[in-house]
Amino acid sequence: MFNKFLSNLQQLNPTTLSELDSVSLQNRIDSKYILNEKEMVNLLPCLIENYKILTIKDERIFSYENNYFDTSDYLFFKDHHNGYANRIKVRSRRYVESDLCFFEIKKKEKVNRTNKHRESLVSLVSDINEEKRELIQSFTRKELIDLQLILKNNFKRITLVNNEFTERVTIDFKIHFADDTNEVNFEGITVVEIKQSKSSQASPLVSFLKESNTREQSFSKYIFGVISLKPEIKKNNFLPILKNINKIKN
């Protein structure tokens, strides 16, 4: 059924990377939804009418690689688990088709607002040098000593922009996690993220999802990667979210 969704994306009008850059939204409001394949097909009329799709050399689906970093005792994971407002996540990202690489620090400043620092790299980073450690340290008051690569993640992404170029939407699927000993695939679910500069901004997709009784759902690739690869780690506060995701899948 998801193949039906993918094939119908050809009905969306294209947009270019340069046009999309005008809606970078490095400081933004994020809304995330976890949908199954049938729910994705139901989105098609709304997307076709209200959104354009990033298209590069006739390609509309792109591959991403992430390296996620944390302390040896999982400080960033625990901050998220414990609900700390000013928490951070650190990753290096590669856009596979264009071979562009970046180093990113995402800081959650309020309930739904994220501020992202981003810098260009020559290649995907697999360890944290002193310069980058000092940069990361500037984002938190907690002392960071032993930052290291925790897990690798790859996925496929479709990127949309609304017709007014004020909102971006990403659709992630085929989500895969791996560390030195294990790997896991998240099959049957799609992560839809709506990114806006302010929460009061009208969104055709948010309106459609509300009318369909689809609830906003917390989802972090890093968090679910750790939970999937490290079954022994404390995750009590994430159990309701895991239950909801399993319900959506089934």
Side-chain angles (χ1 to χ4, degrees), residues 196-219:
Q196 303 168 291
S197 61
K198 53 187 179 181
S199 58
S200 60
Q201 181 177 301
S203 166
L205 186 51
V206 169
S207 297
F208 179 88
L209 290 166
K210 286 182 177 179
E211 291 170 3
S212 305
N213 295 316
T214 304
R215 295 183 178 181
E216 189 175 338
Q217 175 75 67
S218 174
F219 186 90

Side-chain angles (χ1 to χ4, degrees), residues 81-143:
H81 181 269
N82 295 331
Y84 292 159
N86 294 312
R87 60 182 184 261
I88 64 175
K89 290 190 179 67
V90 180
R91 73 186 179 205
S92 180
R93 166 167 287 182
R94 176 175 175 247
Y95 298 81
V96 175
E97 284 78 12
S98 61
D99 199 28
L100 294 175
C101 299
F102 295 90
F103 181 72
E104 300 176 341
I105 304 170
K106 297 176 71 175
K107 184 173 184 180
K108 182 72 73 171
E109 296 182 330
K110 296 181 181 178
V111 175
N112 287 321
R113 183 165 289 277
T114 301
N115 189 19
K116 184 165 74 172
H117 167 85
R118 190 188 215 203
E119 59 185 57
S120 179
L121 299 172
V122 175
S123 59
L124 195 67
V125 169
S126 296
D127 54 52
I128 300 296
N129 60 23
E130 184 59 24
E131 179 184 359
K132 285 189 169 49
R133 191 200 69 79
E134 291 178 358
L135 174 63
I136 300 165
Q137 183 68 73
S138 69
F139 282 79
T140 179
R141 295 179 181 179
K142 299 180 179 181
E143 186 175 5

Side-chain angles (χ1 to χ4, degrees), residues 146-162:
D146 53 348
L147 288 164
Q148 56 188 262
L149 176 63
I150 298 296
L151 63 84
K152 298 181 178 182
N153 160 240
N154 57 66
F155 60 95
K156 301 290 186 180
R157 170 169 286 182
I158 297 159
T159 301
L160 312 176
V161 63
N162 65 340

